Amino acid sequence: ELDRVEQLQNKLHSYTLFGLPKVPRQLAFHRDAWEAEEEETNLALEESWQTLLDSPETEATYIKKLHVITDMFSNIQELVRLHTALWSEVMLPALEQARQARALLDPRALHHGFRTVVSVEGFINSVDSQMRQRQDQQKLATTSARIESYEAVEGSSEEVEKILKDFSHFDLMAPMRGTSPEETRQLHLEGALRMKEGKDSRMEVYCFLFTDLLLITKCVKRVEKVKVIRQPLLIHNVVCKELKDPGSFILIYLNEFQSAVAAYTFQANSATQGRSWVDAICNVQ
């Protein structure tokens, strides 16, 4: 789906620069009945109309262009229907009336078309929103595929490990809590850090900052994947403070009673990198 979106964007950019390609007459498009070939004759305009008023010419040309794009991307056929309705129900009758009266086009005859324009704009906004959402979901799925396992809790015995196994999983694609289903979790920052937990425990970790949570992971050797080694931290329960040492900061995790239940100190490779993590976390919050 992401490839189709990028393909559409590239095609539209090409058409903007060089215009639409010439389509051979013998090339048969797969159109619905409402797109019958004979309807295309209604899109013809006298040269005088093209000179006097740009709007009908623009709409007619736009419909022809939409047909070409629709044949490549069938998910925007509704847009063609809306513009065709605007042409046939509003603009064409106004043109015919002016032709018969041999008079200038009466702008008042176009008044009812504004409702169709509003529908078109609403549809375009909806399509844009859906395309962005699909892109975000595809990016999230790519990140999710990099997570090999969830090992945030260690069992004290084989028996305990077997019980824990049913609960040792994490679905990054699950909806975010407290948001609408249309909202997609986005990755804001990722990178390697050195983590200190307690007084003596130090390790190299790889962190992911998302819209609603922060993941602390560890790289799996010989594969380009990671495993989650600490509980996912809901971002609204995190307190982030910069420390005196350049590039270092602390994350304090609070429970529902606003009491600290975990604390992690991180060291970045530079003061700039450490500041970027602090800023990103505060901005997401």
Side-chain angles (χ1 to χ4, degrees), residues 60-248:
T61 304
Y62 189 42
I63 292 173
K64 293 176 182 177
K65 291 180 179 181
L66 283 174
H67 279 313
V68 175
I69 298 173
T70 300
D71 287 314
M72 294 185 297
F73 300 93
S74 59
N75 60 333
I76 58 171
Q77 289 183 349
E78 184 61 27
L79 185 57
V80 181
R81 288 190 177 94
L82 290 170
H83 276 279
T84 303
L86 175 62
W87 174 260
S88 62
E89 297 174 12
V90 179
M91 288 188 167
L92 185 59
L95 287 172
E96 291 294 344
Q97 181 181 353
R99 285 167 177 159
Q100 294 174 6
R102 295 183 178 276
L104 293 176
L105 187 67
D106 185 358
R108 293 174 297 180
L110 304 176
H111 173 73
H112 296 296
F114 287 109
R115 286 182 306 218
T116 306
V117 171
V118 171
S119 298
V120 170
E121 291 178 347
F123 175 77
I124 291 175
N125 291 335
S126 174
V127 170
D128 288 343
S129 177
Q130 291 180 25
M131 290 176 66
R132 285 193 300 270
Q133 185 179 5
R134 289 177 182 177
Q135 286 179 312
D136 291 340
Q137 289 174 342
Q138 183 63 44
K139 291 177 182 177
L140 184 63
T142 301
T143 304
S144 180
R146 295 165 58 189
I147 299 177
E148 184 182 62
S149 60
Y150 180 86
E151 301 178 14
V153 182
E154 293 185 9
S156 57
S157 65
E158 286 190 15
E159 181 184 12
V160 174
E161 288 283 358
K162 289 181 180 180
I163 297 174
L164 278 174
K165 188 176 181 180
D166 292 336
F167 305 95
S168 295
H169 53 80
F170 178 71
D171 184 9
L172 195 60
M173 301 298 295
M176 294 186 292
R177 298 172 61 183
T179 62
S180 64
E182 290 76 21
E183 294 290 330
T184 302
R185 180 178 289 112
Q186 296 188 30
L187 177 62
H188 293 272
L189 187 63
E190 63 174 288
L193 295 167
R194 291 186 295 277
M195 184 179 77
K196 181 178 180 181
E197 186 179 15
K199 294 183 178 181
D200 302 318
S201 177
R202 296 173 183 266
M203 67 176 72
E204 299 288 332
V205 297
Y206 196 90
C207 295
F208 296 86
L209 175 62
F210 295 97
T211 305
D212 61 330
L213 56 88
L214 186 139
L215 285 184
I216 302 173
T217 73
K218 193 172 181 62
C219 295
V220 180
K221 293 182 179 179
R222 294 190 296 274
V223 294
E224 296 182 359
K225 291 192 175 185
V226 298
K227 58 182 179 181
V228 181
I229 60 171
R230 294 294 182 273
Q231 64 170 324
L233 307 179
L234 292 172
I235 205 66
H236 63 265
N237 288 345
V238 168
V239 176
C240 180
K241 297 291 184 181
E242 196 169 8
L243 300 176
K244 292 180 180 180
D245 290 340
S248 63

